[in-house]
Amino acid sequence: MKIICIGRNYADHVKEMNSPENEDPVFFLKPDTALLLRNRPFYYPDYSNNIHYEAELVIRIDRNGKHIREAFANDYYSEIGFGLDMTARDLQQKCKQNGAPWEIAKGFDSSAPISRFIPLTDLKNVENIEFSLKKNGEVVQHGFSKDMIFSVDRIIAHVSKYITLKMGDIIFTGTPSGVGPVKIGDRLEGFIEDKKMLSTLIK
Ligand code: MG
């Protein structure tokens, strides 16, 4: 399986990062070794001094497809989860300055803590999915899927033009504003609507 991540998908986050806006979704990949499941702790890596959380809605592809048309994209997923796109912001800054790929900043081991998946039909408002992240009990990110610049269906159509999607692939759909650093001892808790989905201790 592969993990596809969308960058710059919420206008307020684009602004906080001083990033340019894009005509098409920007995406990058994390390897399967980035997965961190079942609320296991996240071990702060020694090669970074500035690890950030990015709270994101994630979808799981449940049918193989390529060149998927946007109008049919919703046939390719039926469940949603909560994920953290853990980012070594200091390494990412260096990559950006050098025009280098982002993998060491985004694809390192355990950089993708992901919750269980729940059926979209379990949500109260699937048209505008509310999600939030608490750090040590305080809300630090709060998003609504309607604020995505590129919808999930648009993302699937765009990505599948270049990369075949396979059953089990995961797509991180981007983060709203409020990203920030973690330190050892912090507890991150992710929510979709009022459901607690994920709890990660930084160790
Ligand atoms: Mg992200």
Side-chain angles (χ1 to χ4, degrees):
M1 58 81 68
K2 53 190 172 288
I3 304 167
I4 295 155
C5 304
I6 306 301
R8 305 171 187 165
N9 203 22
Y10 288 82
D12 52 359
H13 175 63
V14 171
K15 214 178 275 173
E16 78 178 347
M17 297 300 291
N18 291 318
S19 299
E21 286 179 31
N22 296 84
E23 268 174 52
D24 287 315
V26 174
F27 70 91
F28 58 90
L29 276 76
K30 292 182 191 251
D32 58 2
T33 40
L35 279 180
L36 184 64
L37 301 174
R38 289 178 278 283
N39 291 331
R40 291 206 181 97
F42 174 92
Y43 287 90
Y44 204 112
D46 59 9
Y47 43 74
S48 173
N49 294 309
N50 196 18
I51 298 283
H52 276 206
Y53 55 79
E54 294 187 359
E56 310 199 8
L57 292 173
V58 297
I59 56 139
R60 185 162 55 191
I61 297 295
D62 53 20
R63 235 177 106 184
N64 296 356
K66 64 191 292 186
H67 297 298
I68 299 164
R69 279 166 56 190
E70 188 173 339
F72 300 117
N74 66 355
D75 292 341
Y76 289 80
Y77 61 98
S78 56
E79 293 187 316
I80 194 154
F82 183 99
L84 292 169
D85 169 16
M86 300 301 280
T87 302
R89 200 66 79 196
D90 43 358
L91 302 185
Q92 187 191 32
Q93 206 49 46
K94 264 189 218 161
C95 294
K96 281 183 179 173
Q97 277 164 11
N98 300 332
W102 285 1
E103 271 77 359
I104 58 164
K106 289 282 199 179
F108 55 88
D109 285 354
S110 301
S111 61
I114 293 178
S115 73
R116 68 190 190 278
F117 284 81
I118 55 171
L120 284 165
T121 49
D122 278 10
L123 298 178
K124 280 186 267 184
N125 186 2
V126 75
E127 298 302 318
N128 191 18
I129 304 164
E130 182 178 10
F131 63 108
S132 60
L133 176 71
K134 285 183 184 175
K135 183 171 94 169
N136 303 326
E138 270 185 46
V139 176
V140 287
Q141 288 192 275
H142 186 199
F144 291 88
S145 61
K146 262 217 167 113
D147 294 330
M148 289 182 187
I149 298 169
F150 303 105
S151 69
V152 170
D153 293 350
R154 173 81 200 281
I155 290 166
I156 287 175
H158 180 72
V159 172
S160 71
K161 211 193 292 184
Y162 304 94
I163 297 179
T164 300
L165 294 177
K166 293 174 90 172
M167 203 186 294
D169 289 347
I170 285 170
I171 301 180
F172 275 68
T173 59
T175 196
S177 63
V179 301
V182 293
K183 57 180 187 340
I184 291 169
D186 284 345
R187 166 79 61 185
L188 300 174
E189 294 167 297
F191 297 80
I192 296 178
E193 294 180 338
D194 50 7
K195 297 181 208 329
K196 184 167 172 177
M197 299 292 292
L198 172 139
S199 178
T200 305
L201 177 66
I202 311 297
K203 283 182 97 167

